[in-house]
Amino acid sequence: MRKTLKISALSAALLAGVASASMAEDKVVNVYNWSDYIDESILEDFTKETGIKVVYDVFDSNEILETKMLAGGSGYDVVVPTADFLQRQIQAGAFEKLDKSKLPNISNMWDKILERTAQFGDVNDYGIDYMWGTTGIGYNVDKVAEILGPDVKPDWNVVFDPEMIAKFKDCGVHFLDAPTEIVPAALNYLGLDPNSTDKADLEKAAELLKSIRPSIRKFHSSEYINALANGDICLAVGWSGDVLQARDRAAEADAGVKVDYSIPAGGALMWFDMMAIPKDAPHKEEAYAFLNYIMKPEVIAKASNYVFYANGNKASQEFIDKEVLDDPAIYPPPATMEKLYVHLPLDPKTQRILTREWTSIVTGQ
Amino acid sequence: MTKLSNALFNRLVIAIPYIWLIIFFMVPFFIVLRISFSQTAIAMPPYLPVFSLSDGWQGFWDNIGQLSFDNYIWLTEDALYINAYISSLTIAFISTCLTLLIGYPIAYGMARAPTSIRPTLLMLVILPFWTSFLIRVYAWIAILKPEGFLNQFLQAIGIIDDPLIILNTNIAVYIGIVYSYLPFMVLPLYSTLEKMDESLIEAAGDLGCPPLKAFWTITFPLSLPGVIAGFLLVFIPTVGEFVIPDLLGGSSTLMIGKTLWTEFNANRDWPVSAAVAIILLLVLVIPIAIFQNAQAKAAQQ
């Protein structure tokens, strides 16, 4: 008797579930974001406030997102490419121009970030900045203190001066396997324009990279997170968010490894992850509602407090935890801010030359 | 009536593998082939021309006219691609030979083991598949790294003083490939060795043939079908292997999988990467087809 009761209760619950799912069918937004990039309670709050169900899916590289966008028909309503990728995908015709009248919260955005994203052509017409960060140097605090002295935050000379980096060779150095991240840094270190496509400039950068190549253990764009956290390497030129993740993992493991991130004083590349709506999005109205909700100061502050990234929303800063807002690795002080630069996408031909040069630097072929 | 339906059923059963191959092999192959004749473009999809039903016949012929062999010519102009193919084939050949060297004694031992424990041994060979391939490759990072288990062990028993640098070298790639593909070598070898008639060896022994000679003149030639099957099962996927060299190898390990990745994701050139993939397929399929043909002829004779 009890058993039958249970079963009927269960089937009733199932029926209710089916009913509510079909009722909410027309109120759905399909979001495709980077992995570990949001406080999931934000999604629940959004559903509570608007009645729109969020179907949340994640990716872990811009390349995967780009392939889906360019192939078309992805079925996503909100996606989060990095600004240089977004600019190219806009040129390919993959995105919807935003109707700003549907996004009243856009007035909360931070002018300092908008100025910089405006350099990527018309991306501000198509996307809103979700989070931003830098490409700098992640390091093992104790090992760096041993070699460079205590409390030294590594600057670019530590990785680009052949004699300096040689001191870290045995300890382990990783670089991102991404020419569009490393070559601008090398150009900047040489005092050249990080966006230069001049052949002579690129050759100088390649020469510099070849001179330090023997001291670099590996070029890879994700392995350094674990390698830093486990204490297998001492230095990594990598993305701020990944290094901060390594910092957290090392702290959690509590095995005596301390990782920190340095935005080099000489200036660093700044990247922006932008929320945008694909042209073929099936639920555009819901996508606008989601974008507008994300731009609420308390909401985006909650996301920043959770993921430890800076966001592009000025009004949110009063809601951000002190440990995030005052961390110079996340919100750099104004003087450092001034020295940050952006890297614009290259035309296919220059990109090909750069990639080929990179292969020859990395493999010696 | 039943005869007729039986015949129909038989044909249907035969048709299933063909339909499968057409949908999941031929159609994707022709899509890739057709992209390899296109030109890259900043568009959706990122190449030109795009065939569409609405173009009609005239549009179709115009589009055909735009297809070209340019991407294949491009591949011959830079030694990088040829070097990547050669390097992939070399790495695949060496690691397949190593797998055979290790796999053969294992399969032989299994086939000669008491019948009662053979299922257990077979199970042990298959068991690693129960854990994700990716996790097992990651585990090798923990074993091979300078402060890893292997170096700790060797230092503890006093064989070495300084840690061996194995991770991020080609040696690590060979270890990873041999480890991951060993079951694909052992299983076909085991199945041929197990079926072998042991009385042949006994007869050779009775006639005064030493065991080693008996192995090379009887056992090994009879196991050749298994050797060939195992060799192909390991060699073919290894040539295009991407994950193992990416995780265990160094940055200077040049393989065609990585070259293809770079063309696709860094240069965003779908047509050139499609051409790289087509050439890889030809490099693998043509020798195998010739080999199969020769075998079929030998069997007929």
Side-chain angles (χ1 to χ4, degrees):
Chain A
M1 184 60 203
R2 272 195 102 138
K3 206 170 175 184
T4 38
L5 198 75
K6 251 188 192 165
I7 288 169
S8 55
L10 194 72
S11 49
L14 273 176
L15 277 176
V18 171
S20 66
S22 61
M23 262 158 69
E25 205 171 46
D26 43 355
K27 284 278 205 176
V28 170
V29 62
N30 298 321
V31 179
Y32 196 39
N33 198 354
W34 294 80
S35 52
D36 297 323
Y37 213 29
I38 201 161
D39 181 343
E40 301 223 347
S41 70
I42 291 173
L43 307 177
E44 290 159 24
D45 294 345
F46 173 72
T47 307
K48 261 182 229 157
E49 193 173 306
T50 60
I52 299 167
K53 206 175 140 234
V54 183
V55 180
Y56 197 76
D57 198 1
V58 297
F59 59 92
D60 55 11
S61 84
N62 264 310
E63 285 79 14
I64 290 175
L65 174 63
E66 178 157 287
T67 307
K68 287 197 181 184
M69 285 301 113
L70 294 185
S74 66
Y76 294 115
D77 302 307
V78 175
V79 296
V80 194
T82 306
D84 49 341
F85 281 81
L86 177 61
Q87 183 181 1
R88 201 169 25 238
Q89 289 155 23
I90 291 169
Q91 284 168 18
F95 285 96
E96 156 110 351
K97 197 167 189 168
L98 294 180
D99 177 355
K100 300 266 168 87
S101 69
K102 290 177 184 164
L103 299 168
N105 287 337
I106 209 156
S107 57
N108 294 327
M109 298 308 277
W110 191 2
D111 54 345
K112 284 252 189 271
I113 299 300
L114 288 171
E115 272 166 29
R116 287 162 194 269
T117 47
Q119 295 178 50
F120 296 92
D122 45 5
V123 301
N124 283 342
D125 295 335
Y126 288 83
I128 55 153
D129 179 58
Y130 177 60
M131 299 282 163
W132 60 272
T134 49
T135 305
I137 303 171
Y139 62 103
N140 183 313
V141 176
D142 297 330
K143 295 272 179 64
V144 165
E146 221 171 83
I147 295 168
L148 295 179
D151 296 326
V152 176
K153 280 198 165 279
D155 199 350
W156 286 123
N157 67 328
V158 173
V159 290
F160 284 138
D161 180 341
E163 282 173 26
M164 275 289 239
I165 193 176
K167 294 180 190 167
F168 291 92
K169 186 185 174 187
D170 292 333
C171 184
V173 184
H174 275 203
F175 267 50
L176 287 174
D177 187 12
T180 49
E181 300 281 348
I182 304 296
V183 171
L187 287 168
N188 180 56
Y189 172 73
L190 291 168
L192 303 164
D193 173 12
N195 277 300
S196 174
T197 53
D198 184 61
K199 211 169 170 239
D201 288 356
L202 291 178
E203 268 166 23
K204 277 183 208 156
E207 211 173 290
L208 173 71
L209 289 166
K210 278 179 182 159
S211 73
I212 58 165
R213 172 69 182 94
S215 299
I216 300 168
R217 189 180 290 172
K218 191 159 183 180
F219 291 85
H220 199 277
S221 299
S222 58
E223 207 176 305
Y224 67 96
I225 306 174
N226 276 329
L228 268 179
N230 293 341
D232 298 338
I233 57 171
C234 280
L235 292 175
V237 177
W239 290 300
S240 52
D242 284 351
V243 176
L244 294 174
Q245 206 179 334
R247 181 176 77 176
D248 294 348
R249 278 193 209 173
E252 266 170 42
D254 202 19
V257 179
K258 246 177 89 185
V259 175
D260 210 349
Y261 176 72
S262 158
I263 300 179
L269 190 140
M270 212 176 175
W271 50 259
F272 310 87
D273 286 339
M274 312 284 293
M275 282 196 166
I277 304 176
K279 198 165 251 170
D280 52 11
H283 311 102
K284 282 192 181 143
E285 286 311 309
E286 289 81 358
Y288 275 108
F290 187 80
L291 252 53
N292 197 42
Y293 184 77
I294 285 294
M295 286 188 291
K296 275 188 169 185
E298 319 82 87
V299 172
I300 190 71
K302 196 175 183 184
S304 276
N305 289 336
Y306 186 83
V307 298
F308 282 70
Y309 280 86
N311 64 54
N313 193 307
K314 180 76 180 159
S316 76
Q317 289 180 8
E318 61 174 297
F319 301 100
I320 294 177
D321 293 343
K322 241 184 121 45
E323 62 164 331
V324 176
L325 197 62
D326 292 348
D327 189 337
I330 301 172
Y331 279 95
T336 314
M337 249 333 235
E338 289 306 313
K339 289 212 162 179
L340 300 179
Y341 53 81
V342 302
H343 186 252
L344 305 172
L346 302 166
D347 65 278
K349 210 177 146 205
T350 315
Q351 176 69 50
R352 186 168 269 291
I353 293 167
L354 188 68
T355 309
R356 185 62 188 91
E357 192 60 58
W358 183 252
T359 306
S360 94
I361 292 163
V362 170
T363 66
Q365 294 267 0
Chain B
M1 191 63 202
T2 43
K3 225 177 183 179
L4 195 73
S5 66
N6 259 350
L8 199 72
F9 180 75
N10 281 345
R11 280 193 184 183
L12 209 68
V13 168
I14 296 167
I16 287 171
Y18 281 98
I19 294 168
W20 180 274
L21 280 175
I22 286 168
I23 295 175
F24 294 108
F25 181 75
M26 288 313 276
V27 172
F29 171 78
F30 279 111
I31 293 172
V32 174
L33 185 69
R34 166 239 169 301
I35 294 175
S36 77
F37 292 127
S38 321
Q39 280 80 46
T40 175
I42 297 181
M44 282 172 72
Y47 51 80
L48 283 171
V50 178
F51 289 87
S52 150
L53 283 177
S54 58
D55 294 345
W57 270 111
Q58 188 53 42
F60 179 77
W61 287 114
D62 287 349
N63 282 340
I64 292 279
Q66 284 182 47
L67 298 177
S68 77
F69 280 97
D70 287 356
N71 298 315
Y72 292 92
I73 295 164
W74 166 263
L75 293 187
T76 62
E77 281 170 353
D78 190 338
L80 171 75
Y81 302 100
I82 292 155
N83 289 340
Y85 283 117
I86 292 172
S87 154
S88 290
L89 290 169
T90 315
I91 289 176
F93 183 75
I94 293 172
S95 37
T96 310
C97 290
L98 290 172
T99 316
L100 180 63
L101 234 63
I102 296 166
Y104 203 100
I106 295 175
Y108 191 85
M110 282 166 63
R112 295 287 167 272
T115 328
S116 57
I117 64 163
R118 278 185 210 170
T120 318
L121 292 173
L122 204 60
M123 198 65 199
L124 287 174
V125 172
I126 300 166
L127 208 61
F129 285 118
W130 291 11
T131 312
S132 154
F133 159 77
L134 204 58
I135 290 172
R136 287 182 285 130
V137 175
Y138 269 109
W140 276 104
I141 297 181
I143 296 170
L144 297 176
K145 68 186 187 182
E147 307 83 20
F149 299 127
L150 180 67
N151 277 313
Q152 278 178 8
F153 175 70
L154 292 177
Q155 280 171 318
I157 59 169
I159 289 185
I160 50 165
D161 293 325
D162 293 318
L164 299 170
I165 300 294
I166 304 173
L167 188 65
N168 299 335
T169 66
N170 277 2
I171 298 170
V173 177
Y174 291 132
I175 292 174
I177 292 174
V178 170
Y179 166 76
S180 303
Y181 287 94
L182 197 59
F184 296 102
M185 183 64 89
V186 171
L187 294 177
L189 280 173
Y190 169 75
S191 76
T192 47
L193 285 169
E194 199 218 5
K195 274 185 286 188
M196 224 182 75
D197 190 351
E198 253 178 282
S199 58
L200 290 171
I201 308 275
E202 281 167 26
D206 289 346
L207 294 170
C209 182
L212 202 66
K213 201 180 172 196
F215 173 79
W216 284 114
T217 47
I218 300 166
T219 314
F220 189 73
L222 283 174
S223 68
L224 261 182
V227 172
I228 291 161
F231 198 92
L232 292 179
L233 275 176
V234 176
F235 183 76
I236 294 168
T238 311
V239 176
E241 184 56 61
F242 175 75
V243 174
I244 297 171
D246 186 58
L247 291 176
L248 300 179
S251 297
S252 49
T253 311
L254 185 68
M255 281 188 83
I256 200 67
K258 173 73 181 168
T259 310
L260 205 153
W261 190 98
T262 308
E263 280 306 329
F264 194 85
N265 288 320
N267 290 338
R268 296 174 188 89
D269 198 330
W270 292 23
V272 166
S273 40
V276 171
I278 295 289
I279 296 282
L280 179 64
L281 195 74
L282 294 181
V283 164
L284 289 174
V285 164
I286 291 176
I288 292 166
I290 292 171
F291 175 78
Q292 290 265 349
N293 216 346
Q295 265 216 318
K297 269 185 193 157
Q300 270 181 353
Q301 280 174 0

